[in-house]
Amino acid sequence: MFNLNRRRGFSLIELLIVIAIILIIITIALPRLTRARMYTQEVAAMAAIRTIHTAQTQYYSQFNKYATSLAELGPPASGSANASSADMIGNDLANGKKQGYVFTVTGSQGGYVVSAVPETFNVGGSRTFYSDQTMVVHEHYGPEPATPQDPESK
């Protein structure tokens, strides 16, 4: 008969089969995880653009003009808030980088333009975004910056 006391642990073949199964599962799941992370960062970028719009509206009501840079919307280095640093957005967004995207705000005649591009295309995101004082967000699939002619984001 077969002695059960002599068998301790798994054989090498059994361990190799388990490792192979784990590697197959990882190979299948990794691309989906990467796409999900990129999508999350893109959604966060659109939320940050909405935050900038809200801050611009508050800035306009307070100073009777739109901010021409993110620094004007950000917190002051010291002292109280003023027109050059109104403390309406967080320091991370005021520095221009947040969750894999680079944000810029530039002044335009009677308004402003917001642009968001991934730090590394196809790693942080696969879309670029454009918006202005109309608060409509436009998206572009590709590394080129989005423009007002690109389709509206859904």
Side-chain angles (χ1 to χ4, degrees), residues 8 55 79 130 147:
R8 294 183 186 158
Y130 169 93
T147 65

Side-chain angles (χ1 to χ4, degrees), residues 4-70:
L4 291 177
N5 289 338
R6 293 192 70 203
R7 185 172 176 175
R8 294 183 186 158
F10 300 102
S11 71
L12 182 59
I13 297 295
E14 290 170 330
L15 289 174
L16 288 174
I17 290 171
V18 168
I19 290 172
I21 291 170
I22 291 171
L23 289 175
I24 290 169
I25 292 171
I26 288 173
T27 303
I28 292 169
L30 196 58
R32 290 182 185 194
L33 178 64
T34 302
R35 278 193 300 263
R37 186 179 48 79
M38 272 191 351
Y39 179 74
T40 301
Q41 289 179 317
E42 291 170 350
V43 170
M46 288 189 290
I49 290 172
R50 284 191 290 276
T51 300
I52 292 170
H53 285 310
T54 302
Q56 284 282 24
T57 303
Q58 292 171 340
Y59 190 93
Y60 188 85
S61 69
Q62 214 170 5
F63 301 107
N64 207 25
K65 66 175 187 161
Y66 290 113
T68 58
S69 70
L70 288 169

